[in-house]
Each structure stands twice: as structure tokens, then as C-alpha cells.
């Protein structure tokens, strides 16, 4: 049996990815006394967005993560869709610095899906979580992100086939509240919406004998 961590770190490519993929898990662990830290790597910054767009999403993220009970949040402020253009050592080093500073036993990172930022940040996060030092994370899981993960082309690209699930039945409402806080990002059905996230959680729960769940792909588990 895998016991809960004392410290959990979540790596998010953009504001809302952490809530879409693991909001219920974050809320559950936070309520159980786990110290949860979130790193948001990229954001809505020039040249694709106006500066005020970033400030809007940062305010939304701060509110959403407070709802979920997050202890610490940091924004790297890399412009969206340009993460892969930065030197590999720069991105790897920044994520590694946060992981070492928060010293987590569990790390949740984005599945390498349709969004190029997600793929680049998955690679960097996996590097940061390598078991090369005594206090390396013992559980590393990749989460799914609605509107990106399920658009991968099966048989050609990595396909999200989960093998680890967290029962969030008692924390679904908190996830929904946090999603609503992302007013500029969460849209009406069918794709990036509270309804779609709720339906996915219901489906994942039905796979595992509970009302609602979040699903993950195991990168590494050390018991």
C-alpha cells in the first residue's frame, strides 16, 4: 500500500492545468495535511497575449489554488508556446530548483500531449525527478488535461492509458469551485468546461468502484 505523502509538488505548464488534471487530488491531500506546492511554468504573456492577460490568469490561479488549499505557488513567467525555444538547461534547471526547494515525496507532472509546452515541461520535469539523490521523489505521476491530452494521435504519439487513480468523490465540489475561478480559461461544454471535467471524473470513478476519480500514468513508484 502506498501511504500519502507529507509533501506534494505539482508542475503545471499553464494556469489551470493543475486544476483540470489534479484539482481533486490536490484538495484531498491538502485536507489530509499534505503540504502542496504548485509551479506554473508558462503563462499568457507577450508576444501572443497582452500583459494584462497574464495578470488576469495569475489572479485566477491564486484564487483557485487557495480554494484547493495549496501551500505554495510560483510562476516562472515563460511566454506560452515558447517554452521549447528556451535552452534545455534553463527550463530543466528552473524546474529542478523548485523540486529541490519543495522536497516532495510525490510529484505530479503533465502528460506529454498535444500542446508543445506540455511535452517540453514533461521532459524537464522527468529530468528533475530522476532518482539521482537520496531525497528524490518516490512517486511520480503524469496527469491528463482535458482539451489537450485526448487529442493525441493514438498509435503515433503517446496515448494516455492510466494505471493509477485517486478517489476524489468528497472533493469534486472543490475542484469545480476552483475551475469556476478560472473564468477566462474554463469554457462551456464540450471541451474545457466544468461539465466535461465532472463527466471525466465520473467515468474515471466508474472504472474503479467509486463515484469520482482522477487518473494518472505512473512514471515511477518506489515503495
Amino acid at each position: 500500500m502506498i501511504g500519502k505523502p507529507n509533501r506534494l509538488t505539482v508542475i503545471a505548464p499553464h494556469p489551470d492545468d493543475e486544476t483540470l488534471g489534479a484539482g481533486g487530488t490536490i484538495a484531498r491531500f491538502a485536507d489530509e495535511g499534505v503540504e502542496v506546492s504548485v509551479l506554473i511554468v508558462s503563462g499568457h504573456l507577450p508576444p501572443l497575449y497582452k500583459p494584462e492577460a497574464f495578470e488576469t490568469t495569475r489572479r485566477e490561479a491564486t484564487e483557485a489554488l487557495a480554494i484547493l488549499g495549496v501551500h505554495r505557488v510560483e510562476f516562472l513567467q515563460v511566454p506560452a508556446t515558447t517554452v521549447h525555444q528556451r535552452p534545455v538547461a534553463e527550463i530543466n534547471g528552473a524546474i529542478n530548483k523548485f523540486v529541490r526547494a519543495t522536497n516532495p515525496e510525490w510529484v505530479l507532472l503533465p502528460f506529454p500531449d498535444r500542446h508543445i509546452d506540455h511535452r517540453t515541461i514533461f521532459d524537464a520535469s522527468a529530468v528533475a525527478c530522476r532518482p539521482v539523490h537520496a531525497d528524490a521523489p518516490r512517486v511520480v505521476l503524469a496527469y491528463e488535461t482535458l482539451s489537450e491530452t485526448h487529442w493525441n494521435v493514438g498509435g503515433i504519439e503517446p496515448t494516455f492509458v492510466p494505471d493509477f487513480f485517486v478517489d476524489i468523490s468528497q472533493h469534486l465540489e472543490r475542484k469545480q469551485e476552483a475551475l469556476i475561478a478560472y473564468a477566462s480559461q474554463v469554457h462551456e461544454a464540450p471541451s474545457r468546461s466544468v461539465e466535461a471535467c465532472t463527466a471525466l471524473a465520473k467515468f474515471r470513478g466508474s472504472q474503479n468502484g467509486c463515484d469520482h476519480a482522477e487518473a494518472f500514468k505512473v512514471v515511477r513508484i518506489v515503495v
Side-chain angles (χ1 to χ4, degrees):
M1 182 176 180
I2 303 172
K4 70 177 182 181
N6 293 310
R7 295 172 301 282
L8 167 70
T9 290
V10 184
I11 310 298
H14 314 98
D16 80 355
D17 287 330
E18 79 296 325
T19 302
L20 287 165
T25 300
I26 291 171
R28 173 175 173 171
F29 279 151
D31 282 358
E32 293 176 358
V34 176
E35 185 177 293
V36 182
S37 300
V38 174
L39 176 65
I40 299 176
V41 177
S42 185
H44 298 76
L45 290 156
L48 290 183
Y49 302 90
K50 295 180 179 180
E52 52 266 30
F54 174 75
E55 295 305 324
T56 295
T57 53
R58 177 155 61 180
R59 286 194 302 270
E60 292 173 347
T62 300
E63 179 182 352
L65 297 179
I67 290 169
L68 296 178
V70 170
H71 173 78
R72 171 178 177 176
V73 59
E74 185 174 317
F75 299 84
L76 289 185
Q77 299 189 41
V78 179
T81 74
T82 71
V83 179
H84 68 291
Q85 297 172 3
R86 297 295 181 95
V88 171
E90 176 186 332
I91 299 300
N92 288 11
I95 293 176
N96 182 68
K97 180 180 178 181
F98 188 82
V99 171
R100 296 304 299 273
T102 54
N103 191 28
E105 291 135 329
W106 286 37
V107 173
L108 308 183
L109 45 85
F111 186 79
D113 57 34
R114 170 56 43 222
H115 200 302
I116 191 168
D117 287 348
H118 294 201
R119 299 197 297 271
T120 302
I121 292 166
F122 168 83
D123 289 342
S125 300
V127 169
C129 293
R130 290 178 301 180
V132 294
H133 47 82
D135 57 351
R138 57 184 174 84
V139 175
V140 183
L141 308 171
Y143 57 84
E144 58 184 334
T145 307
L146 269 179
S147 81
E148 298 294 351
T149 301
H150 308 106
W151 290 343
N152 277 21
V153 182
I156 298 176
E157 299 176 295
T159 301
F160 186 80
V161 181
D163 43 23
F164 191 97
F165 300 83
V166 176
D167 185 344
I168 65 164
S169 302
Q170 302 304 313
H171 297 85
L172 178 64
E173 288 187 7
R174 289 262 294 289
K175 175 170 182 167
Q176 293 168 332
E177 290 175 20
L179 287 169
I180 291 170
Y182 278 113
S184 70
Q185 301 302 304
V186 174
H187 309 302
E188 295 183 3
S191 180
R192 183 183 292 261
S193 68
V194 175
E195 291 81 6
C197 288
T198 302
L200 178 60
K202 183 66 175 178
F203 172 64
R204 294 306 187 194
S206 74
Q207 293 179 301
N208 294 279
C210 59
D211 287 337
H212 297 89
E214 286 175 336
F216 303 86
K217 182 64 183 174
V218 171
V219 177
R220 182 174 64 256
I221 294 179
V222 180
V223 177

